[in-house]
């Protein structure tokens, strides 16, 4: 499969057009025509090598949706024409305990990331969704339910599952208080999903610009992170906080927002250490936890949940060639709430 893409060739230059051939399809593979791909902040961290480990060229993109073109002889779950998605990983060892438990993202041998990684053969590079097509093993392909608009569904494959999974894992219940820190791509999915789960949702944002749209997403309260009075009024009231901030910040104030035994799940991945004072953590047996995307089964559950509750991303679509413009706007916090590449735009 010949594809057109945008690739980064080093950590400081803009992405450039790049044509390449996808790996030869195997009997369990699904060939997908990519129609939309969301732009996640992780794409930017990776291509700019902010996390280390970048091997160029890199075609980013792990919020992929499209249609099945062809299937291998042994594929049973998909047929040509099906609406499908691919998220942050395209394979895993399939035998370790997390893989057997459907938590492939925590594979002990390391999941095969959708881009900037190697297939299980250890030598074939993986390349992501800023491209016109992809070849993926059927066990790592998701079904996009009818009724979800395809373009707005793309960000569910990363932003959706990354916020859904900790809400499920940490047992968010109807009527509980959920705080969402940082209202970007992940944050705006967290607000919608938390609201649909019946939680009372408060946004903590460093910006005033999103106050009006936050309530449309389902947030009952909106607190500016410098508003000391509003922060004081919220102390020790939250059951769960989902922290999506992409930059290093001091977490002490957010820890104090938690009730006794409350949890702050950190999903944001800044390249620099974040800090906190241990006292408020210790005194009320509060917890700081991490969470990485979600497994294949849970991602399908999330997609079905979003379809059932009419939840999808709020997006701005762009042609593939405009990804560099989108990157600049994302790092300047100038998007509500997700860029999605539309492969049909020139
Ligand atoms: P995004 O759309 O850029 O949103 C990040 C938000 O963080 C911004 O909208 C902003 O919200 C807040 N923020 C940014 N810089 C800040 C600063 N200097 N001080 C305070 N707040 C700041 O990014 P995203 O795509 O949602 O991704 C968020 C983070 O999650 C990234 O680090 C990404 O790599 C990571 N991530 C992790 C996983 C996982 O599995 N754990 C999955 C996907 C992404 P306000 O304007 O509301 O303050
Ligand atoms: Zn992502
Ligand atoms: Zn494994």
């Amino acid at each position: 499969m010949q594809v057109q893409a945008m690739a980064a060739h080093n950590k400081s230059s803009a992405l450039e057009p790049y044509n390449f051939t996808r790996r030869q399809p195997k009997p369990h593979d699904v060939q997908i025509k990519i129609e939309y791909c969301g732009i996640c902040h992780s794409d930017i961290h990776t291509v700019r090598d902010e996390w280390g480990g970048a091997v160029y060229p890199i075609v980013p993109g792990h919020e992929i949706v499209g249609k099945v073109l062809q299937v291998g002889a042994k594929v049973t779950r998909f047929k040509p024409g099906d609406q499908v998605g691919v998220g942050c990983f395209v394979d895993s060892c399939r035998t370790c305990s997390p893989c057997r438990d459907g938590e492939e993202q925590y594979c002990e041998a390391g999941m095969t990331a959708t881009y900037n990684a190697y297939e299980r053969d250890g030598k074939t590079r993986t390349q992501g969704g800023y491209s016109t097509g992809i070849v993926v093993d059927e066990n790592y392909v998701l079904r996009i339910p009818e009724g979800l608009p395809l373009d707005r569904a793309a960000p569910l494959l990363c932003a959706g599952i990354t916020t859904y999974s900790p809400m499920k894992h940490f047992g968010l219940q109807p009527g509980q208080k959920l705080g969402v820190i940082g209202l970007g791509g992940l944050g705006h999915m967290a607000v919608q999903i938390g609201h649909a789960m019946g939680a009372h949702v408060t946004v903590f944002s460093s910006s005033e610009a999103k106050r009006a749209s936050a309530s449309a997403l389902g947030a009952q309260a909106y607190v500016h992170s410098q508003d000391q009075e509003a922060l004081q009024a919220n102390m020790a009231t939250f059951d769960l906080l989902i922290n999506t901030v992409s930059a290093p910040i001091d977490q002490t104030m957010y820890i104090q927002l938690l009730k006794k035994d409350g949890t702050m799940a950190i999903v944001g991945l800044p390249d620099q250490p974040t800090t906190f004072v241990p006292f408020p953590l210790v005194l009320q047996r509060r917890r700081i936890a991490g969470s990485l995307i979600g497994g294949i089964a849970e991602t399908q559950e999330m997609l079905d949940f979003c379809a059932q509750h009419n939840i999808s991303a709020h997006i701005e679509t762009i042609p593939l060639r405009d990804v560099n413009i989108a990157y600049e706007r994302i790092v300047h916090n100038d998007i509500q709430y997700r860029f999605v590449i539309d492969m049909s735009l020139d």
Side-chain angles (χ1 to χ4, degrees), residues 70-88:
Q70 281 186 50
V71 297
K74 293 196 169 151
V75 169
T76 58
R77 299 178 52 230
F78 299 100
K79 59 178 191 318
D82 285 353
Q83 290 189 12
V84 292
V86 177
C88 298

Side-chain angles (χ1 to χ4, degrees), residues 106 166 169-170 263-269 287-293:
Y106 301 118
H169 184 77
F170 295 109
T263 300
M264 173 163 70
I266 295 187
V267 294
L269 285 166
R287 285 176 292 198
I288 300 179
S291 188
L292 178 66
I293 40 177

